[in-house]
Amino acid sequence: MSTIKMTNHGGSRKGAGRKPKSGGKTVVKRIPASLVGEVDNLIVQARTETKVPMDAMFPSKNPIELLIPLALEKIPAGFPSPAEPYIAEYIDFNKYLISNPAATFFARSGGQSMLDAGIDKDDILVIDRSVTPKHRDIVMADLGNEFTIKRLHKFPDGRIELHSENSSGDYPNFSPKEGDTWAIVGVLRFIIKDYR
């Protein structure tokens, strides 16, 4: 008569397998080999600099100069005036919108909390991380688990608040407290809208 020896092999075992790194749960993603270096650089940048949204867009490292004619006459928003066919100069939006390419990125507005400031959902926001934020600037802030666009208020007693600007809804302000994890990512420089 033979005996069958029972072993506890195979299947999952408590505590087995790779341990999660300090960053939390990991995932595997496949990317083209040509992008590995760029992704590695983005990871290093994300660990050493202020975070930016994952879907942020960055200016080209080799922008193509594109000169757009700028009319000599200002166009009145009130009463119409005869159009003058004169061109004052040409502008290149790479230079006009971006004063510091290494510190500039673009992000789409994700909501309507700043509607009264002229920022609609899906507007492209030009954010400059090299600009020192001043009282009443519109800033992008990292609140630890989310990004937000708000009006910066600096008070004489040192308090800072981030205010929403939409009178048609209940959009909260943010008042950082002692121990809160948050940072100002950059200052809004321009808004690019689609009016159609």
mmCIF file with all atom_site columns, all heavy atoms in Angstrom, residues 62-78:
data_model
loop_
_atom_site.group_PDB
_atom_site.id
_atom_site.type_symbol
_atom_site.label_atom_id
_atom_site.label_alt_id
_atom_site.label_comp_id
_atom_site.label_asym_id
_atom_site.label_entity_id
_atom_site.label_seq_id
_atom_site.pdbx_PDB_ins_code
_atom_site.Cartn_x
_atom_site.Cartn_y
_atom_site.Cartn_z
_atom_site.occupancy
_atom_site.B_iso_or_equiv
_atom_site.pdbx_formal_charge
_atom_site.auth_seq_id
_atom_site.auth_comp_id
_atom_site.auth_asym_id
_atom_site.auth_atom_id
_atom_site.pdbx_PDB_model_num
ATOM 1   N N   . ASN A 1 62 ? 12.652  71.655  -30.450 1.00 0.00 ? 62 ASN A N   1
ATOM 2   C CA  . ASN A 1 62 ? 13.112  72.242  -31.710 1.00 0.00 ? 62 ASN A CA  1
ATOM 3   C C   . ASN A 1 62 ? 11.927  72.888  -32.422 1.00 0.00 ? 62 ASN A C   1
ATOM 4   O O   . ASN A 1 62 ? 11.472  72.395  -33.453 1.00 0.00 ? 62 ASN A O   1
ATOM 5   C CB  . ASN A 1 62 ? 13.734  71.167  -32.604 1.00 0.00 ? 62 ASN A CB  1
ATOM 6   C CG  . ASN A 1 62 ? 14.900  70.482  -31.941 1.00 0.00 ? 62 ASN A CG  1
ATOM 7   O OD1 . ASN A 1 62 ? 15.816  71.137  -31.474 1.00 0.00 ? 62 ASN A OD1 1
ATOM 8   N ND2 . ASN A 1 62 ? 14.853  69.166  -31.874 1.00 0.00 ? 62 ASN A ND2 1
ATOM 9   N N   . PRO A 1 63 ? 11.419  74.008  -31.871 1.00 0.00 ? 63 PRO A N   1
ATOM 10  C CA  . PRO A 1 63 ? 10.231  74.608  -32.495 1.00 0.00 ? 63 PRO A CA  1
ATOM 11  C C   . PRO A 1 63 ? 10.536  75.173  -33.880 1.00 0.00 ? 63 PRO A C   1
ATOM 12  O O   . PRO A 1 63 ? 11.625  75.646  -34.144 1.00 0.00 ? 63 PRO A O   1
ATOM 13  C CB  . PRO A 1 63 ? 9.846   75.726  -31.524 1.00 0.00 ? 63 PRO A CB  1
ATOM 14  C CG  . PRO A 1 63 ? 11.110  76.069  -30.815 1.00 0.00 ? 63 PRO A CG  1
ATOM 15  C CD  . PRO A 1 63 ? 11.904  74.794  -30.745 1.00 0.00 ? 63 PRO A CD  1
ATOM 16  N N   . ILE A 1 64 ? 9.540   75.099  -34.732 1.00 0.00 ? 64 ILE A N   1
ATOM 17  C CA  . ILE A 1 64 ? 9.639   75.669  -36.070 1.00 0.00 ? 64 ILE A CA  1
ATOM 18  C C   . ILE A 1 64 ? 9.083   77.088  -36.006 1.00 0.00 ? 64 ILE A C   1
ATOM 19  O O   . ILE A 1 64 ? 8.006   77.311  -35.467 1.00 0.00 ? 64 ILE A O   1
ATOM 20  C CB  . ILE A 1 64 ? 8.837   74.834  -37.081 1.00 0.00 ? 64 ILE A CB  1
ATOM 21  C CG1 . ILE A 1 64 ? 9.419   73.424  -37.165 1.00 0.00 ? 64 ILE A CG1 1
ATOM 22  C CG2 . ILE A 1 64 ? 8.801   75.505  -38.436 1.00 0.00 ? 64 ILE A CG2 1
ATOM 23  C CD1 . ILE A 1 64 ? 8.562   72.456  -37.934 1.00 0.00 ? 64 ILE A CD1 1
ATOM 24  N N   . GLU A 1 65 ? 9.842   78.041  -36.517 1.00 0.00 ? 65 GLU A N   1
ATOM 25  C CA  . GLU A 1 65 ? 9.370   79.419  -36.510 1.00 0.00 ? 65 GLU A CA  1
ATOM 26  C C   . GLU A 1 65 ? 8.211   79.557  -37.498 1.00 0.00 ? 65 GLU A C   1
ATOM 27  O O   . GLU A 1 65 ? 8.306   79.162  -38.649 1.00 0.00 ? 65 GLU A O   1
ATOM 28  C CB  . GLU A 1 65 ? 10.500  80.370  -36.890 1.00 0.00 ? 65 GLU A CB  1
ATOM 29  C CG  . GLU A 1 65 ? 10.099  81.812  -36.795 1.00 0.00 ? 65 GLU A CG  1
ATOM 30  C CD  . GLU A 1 65 ? 11.248  82.745  -37.116 1.00 0.00 ? 65 GLU A CD  1
ATOM 31  O OE1 . GLU A 1 65 ? 11.800  82.642  -38.236 1.00 0.00 ? 65 GLU A OE1 1
ATOM 32  O OE2 . GLU A 1 65 ? 11.589  83.563  -36.263 1.00 0.00 ? 65 GLU A OE2 1
ATOM 33  N N   . LEU A 1 66 ? 7.107   80.078  -37.001 1.00 0.00 ? 66 LEU A N   1
ATOM 34  C CA  . LEU A 1 66 ? 5.926   80.294  -37.837 1.00 0.00 ? 66 LEU A CA  1
ATOM 35  C C   . LEU A 1 66 ? 5.463   81.723  -37.600 1.00 0.00 ? 66 LEU A C   1
ATOM 36  O O   . LEU A 1 66 ? 4.940   82.035  -36.536 1.00 0.00 ? 66 LEU A O   1
ATOM 37  C CB  . LEU A 1 66 ? 4.816   79.305  -37.462 1.00 0.00 ? 66 LEU A CB  1
ATOM 38  C CG  . LEU A 1 66 ? 3.515   79.451  -38.230 1.00 0.00 ? 66 LEU A CG  1
ATOM 39  C CD1 . LEU A 1 66 ? 3.733   79.217  -39.724 1.00 0.00 ? 66 LEU A CD1 1
ATOM 40  C CD2 . LEU A 1 66 ? 2.478   78.480  -37.693 1.00 0.00 ? 66 LEU A CD2 1
ATOM 41  N N   . LEU A 1 67 ? 5.691   82.582  -38.558 1.00 0.00 ? 67 LEU A N   1
ATOM 42  C CA  . LEU A 1 67 ? 5.365   83.994  -38.405 1.00 0.00 ? 67 LEU A CA  1
ATOM 43  C C   . LEU A 1 67 ? 3.935   84.258  -38.853 1.00 0.00 ? 67 LEU A C   1
ATOM 44  O O   . LEU A 1 67 ? 3.570   83.977  -39.992 1.00 0.00 ? 67 LEU A O   1
ATOM 45  C CB  . LEU A 1 67 ? 6.348   84.851  -39.200 1.00 0.00 ? 67 LEU A CB  1
ATOM 46  C CG  . LEU A 1 67 ? 7.814   84.707  -38.760 1.00 0.00 ? 67 LEU A CG  1
ATOM 47  C CD1 . LEU A 1 67 ? 8.716   85.530  -39.659 1.00 0.00 ? 67 LEU A CD1 1
ATOM 48  C CD2 . LEU A 1 67 ? 7.988   85.124  -37.313 1.00 0.00 ? 67 LEU A CD2 1
ATOM 49  N N   . ILE A 1 68 ? 3.130   84.814  -37.950 1.00 0.00 ? 68 ILE A N   1
ATOM 50  C CA  . ILE A 1 68 ? 1.726   85.121  -38.204 1.00 0.00 ? 68 ILE A CA  1
ATOM 51  C C   . ILE A 1 68 ? 1.607   86.647  -38.305 1.00 0.00 ? 68 ILE A C   1
ATOM 52  O O   . ILE A 1 68 ? 2.111   87.369  -37.443 1.00 0.00 ? 68 ILE A O   1
ATOM 53  C CB  . ILE A 1 68 ? 0.833   84.626  -37.043 1.00 0.00 ? 68 ILE A CB  1
ATOM 54  C CG1 . ILE A 1 68 ? 1.133   83.164  -36.716 1.00 0.00 ? 68 ILE A CG1 1
ATOM 55  C CG2 . ILE A 1 68 ? -0.638  84.876  -37.328 1.00 0.00 ? 68 ILE A CG2 1
ATOM 56  C CD1 . ILE A 1 68 ? 0.630   82.167  -37.678 1.00 0.00 ? 68 ILE A CD1 1
ATOM 57  N N   . PRO A 1 69 ? 0.926   87.180  -39.321 1.00 0.00 ? 69 PRO A N   1
ATOM 58  C CA  . PRO A 1 69 ? 0.809   88.641  -39.428 1.00 0.00 ? 69 PRO A CA  1
ATOM 59  C C   . PRO A 1 69 ? -0.018  89.223  -38.280 1.00 0.00 ? 69 PRO A C   1
ATOM 60  O O   . PRO A 1 69 ? -1.031  88.661  -37.890 1.00 0.00 ? 69 PRO A O   1
ATOM 61  C CB  . PRO A 1 69 ? 0.107   88.865  -40.759 1.00 0.00 ? 69 PRO A CB  1
ATOM 62  C CG  . PRO A 1 69 ? -0.226  87.544  -41.310 1.00 0.00 ? 69 PRO A CG  1
ATOM 63  C CD  . PRO A 1 69 ? 0.296   86.481  -40.413 1.00 0.00 ? 69 PRO A CD  1
ATOM 64  N N   . LEU A 1 70 ? 0.453   90.341  -37.751 1.00 0.00 ? 70 LEU A N   1
ATOM 65  C CA  . LEU A 1 70 ? -0.249  91.064  -36.697 1.00 0.00 ? 70 LEU A CA  1
ATOM 66  C C   . LEU A 1 70 ? -0.706  92.396  -37.290 1.00 0.00 ? 70 LEU A C   1
ATOM 67  O O   . LEU A 1 70 ? 0.113   93.190  -37.764 1.00 0.00 ? 70 LEU A O   1
ATOM 68  C CB  . LEU A 1 70 ? 0.671   91.306  -35.490 1.00 0.00 ? 70 LEU A CB  1
ATOM 69  C CG  . LEU A 1 70 ? 0.096   92.088  -34.329 1.00 0.00 ? 70 LEU A CG  1
ATOM 70  C CD1 . LEU A 1 70 ? -1.063  91.328  -33.693 1.00 0.00 ? 70 LEU A CD1 1
ATOM 71  C CD2 . LEU A 1 70 ? 1.158   92.363  -33.281 1.00 0.00 ? 70 LEU A CD2 1
ATOM 72  N N   . ALA A 1 71 ? -2.011  92.642  -37.282 1.00 0.00 ? 71 ALA A N   1
ATOM 73  C CA  . ALA A 1 71 ? -2.567  93.858  -37.894 1.00 0.00 ? 71 ALA A CA  1
ATOM 74  C C   . ALA A 1 71 ? -2.091  95.104  -37.165 1.00 0.00 ? 71 ALA A C   1
ATOM 75  O O   . ALA A 1 71 ? -1.897  95.098  -35.943 1.00 0.00 ? 71 ALA A O   1
ATOM 76  C CB  . ALA A 1 71 ? -4.093  93.796  -37.886 1.00 0.00 ? 71 ALA A CB  1
ATOM 77  N N   . LEU A 1 72 ? -1.928  96.181  -37.904 1.00 0.00 ? 72 LEU A N   1
ATOM 78  C CA  . LEU A 1 72 ? -1.489  97.461  -37.361 1.00 0.00 ? 72 LEU A CA  1
ATOM 79  C C   . LEU A 1 72 ? -2.557  98.058  -36.452 1.00 0.00 ? 72 LEU A C   1
ATOM 80  O O   . LEU A 1 72 ? -2.260  98.571  -35.384 1.00 0.00 ? 72 LEU A O   1
ATOM 81  C CB  . LEU A 1 72 ? -1.178  98.421  -38.529 1.00 0.00 ? 72 LEU A CB  1
ATOM 82  C CG  . LEU A 1 72 ? -0.662  99.800  -38.178 1.00 0.00 ? 72 LEU A CG  1
ATOM 83  C CD1 . LEU A 1 72 ? 0.666   99.692  -37.457 1.00 0.00 ? 72 LEU A CD1 1
ATOM 84  C CD2 . LEU A 1 72 ? -0.493  100.625 -39.443 1.00 0.00 ? 72 LEU A CD2 1
ATOM 85  N N   . GLU A 1 73 ? -3.807  97.980  -36.877 1.00 0.00 ? 73 GLU A N   1
ATOM 86  C CA  . GLU A 1 73 ? -4.913  98.565  -36.121 1.00 0.00 ? 73 GLU A CA  1
ATOM 87  C C   . GLU A 1 73 ? -5.445  97.577  -35.088 1.00 0.00 ? 73 GLU A C   1
ATOM 88  O O   . GLU A 1 73 ? -5.565  96.389  -35.355 1.00 0.00 ? 73 GLU A O   1
ATOM 89  C CB  . GLU A 1 73 ? -6.059  98.935  -37.067 1.00 0.00 ? 73 GLU A CB  1
ATOM 90  C CG  . GLU A 1 73 ? -5.722  100.015 -38.060 1.00 0.00 ? 73 GLU A CG  1
ATOM 91  C CD  . GLU A 1 73 ? -5.728  101.397 -37.429 1.00 0.00 ? 73 GLU A CD  1
ATOM 92  O OE1 . GLU A 1 73 ? -6.599  101.656 -36.588 1.00 0.00 ? 73 GLU A OE1 1
ATOM 93  O OE2 . GLU A 1 73 ? -4.855  102.192 -37.790 1.00 0.00 ? 73 GLU A OE2 1
ATOM 94  N N   . LYS A 1 74 ? -5.801  98.094  -33.907 1.00 0.00 ? 74 LYS A N   1
ATOM 95  C CA  . LYS A 1 74 ? -6.507  97.269  -32.930 1.00 0.00 ? 74 LYS A CA  1
ATOM 96  C C   . LYS A 1 74 ? -7.944  97.145  -33.402 1.00 0.00 ? 74 LYS A C   1
ATOM 97  O O   . LYS A 1 74 ? -8.500  98.065  -33.996 1.00 0.00 ? 74 LYS A O   1
ATOM 98  C CB  . LYS A 1 74 ? -6.462  97.914  -31.552 1.00 0.00 ? 74 LYS A CB  1
ATOM 99  C CG  . LYS A 1 74 ? -5.076  97.900  -30.940 1.00 0.00 ? 74 LYS A CG  1
ATOM 100 C CD  . LYS A 1 74 ? -5.106  98.434  -29.531 1.00 0.00 ? 74 LYS A CD  1
ATOM 101 C CE  . LYS A 1 74 ? -3.723  98.367  -28.931 1.00 0.00 ? 74 LYS A CE  1
ATOM 102 N NZ  . LYS A 1 74 ? -3.675  98.907  -27.586 1.00 0.00 ? 74 LYS A NZ  1
ATOM 103 N N   . ILE A 1 75 ? -8.546  95.997  -33.149 1.00 0.00 ? 75 ILE A N   1
ATOM 104 C CA  . ILE A 1 75 ? -9.924  95.766  -33.571 1.00 0.00 ? 75 ILE A CA  1
ATOM 105 C C   . ILE A 1 75 ? -10.841 96.119  -32.415 1.00 0.00 ? 75 ILE A C   1
ATOM 106 O O   . ILE A 1 75 ? -10.778 95.489  -31.359 1.00 0.00 ? 75 ILE A O   1
ATOM 107 C CB  . ILE A 1 75 ? -10.132 94.305  -33.997 1.00 0.00 ? 75 ILE A CB  1
ATOM 108 C CG1 . ILE A 1 75 ? -9.186  93.969  -35.141 1.00 0.00 ? 75 ILE A CG1 1
ATOM 109 C CG2 . ILE A 1 75 ? -11.585 94.042  -34.358 1.00 0.00 ? 75 ILE A CG2 1
ATOM 110 C CD1 . ILE A 1 75 ? -9.141  92.515  -35.507 1.00 0.00 ? 75 ILE A CD1 1
ATOM 111 N N   . PRO A 1 76 ? -11.699 97.131  -32.589 1.00 0.00 ? 76 PRO A N   1
ATOM 112 C CA  . PRO A 1 76 ? -12.574 97.519  -31.477 1.00 0.00 ? 76 PRO A CA  1
ATOM 113 C C   . PRO A 1 76 ? -13.640 96.463  -31.212 1.00 0.00 ? 76 PRO A C   1
ATOM 114 O O   . PRO A 1 76 ? -14.139 95.838  -32.136 1.00 0.00 ? 76 PRO A O   1
ATOM 115 C CB  . PRO A 1 76 ? -13.202 98.830  -31.945 1.00 0.00 ? 76 PRO A CB  1
ATOM 116 C CG  . PRO A 1 76 ? -13.076 98.815  -33.426 1.00 0.00 ? 76 PRO A CG  1
ATOM 117 C CD  . PRO A 1 76 ? -11.885 97.959  -33.761 1.00 0.00 ? 76 PRO A CD  1
ATOM 118 N N   . ALA A 1 77 ? -13.928 96.275  -29.914 1.00 0.00 ? 77 ALA A N   1
ATOM 119 C CA  . ALA A 1 77 ? -14.981 95.334  -29.549 1.00 0.00 ? 77 ALA A CA  1
ATOM 120 C C   . ALA A 1 77 ? -16.319 96.051  -29.474 1.00 0.00 ? 77 ALA A C   1
ATOM 121 O O   . ALA A 1 77 ? -17.347 95.431  -29.291 1.00 0.00 ? 77 ALA A O   1
ATOM 122 C CB  . ALA A 1 77 ? -14.649 94.686  -28.209 1.00 0.00 ? 77 ALA A CB  1
ATOM 123 N N   . GLY A 1 78 ? -16.306 97.379  -29.624 1.00 0.00 ? 78 GLY A N   1
ATOM 124 C CA  . GLY A 1 78 ? -17.545 98.150  -29.567 1.00 0.00 ? 78 GLY A CA  1
ATOM 125 C C   . GLY A 1 78 ? -18.044 98.464  -30.964 1.00 0.00 ? 78 GLY A C   1
ATOM 126 O O   . GLY A 1 78 ? -18.528 97.598  -31.670 1.00 0.00 ? 78 GLY A O   1
#
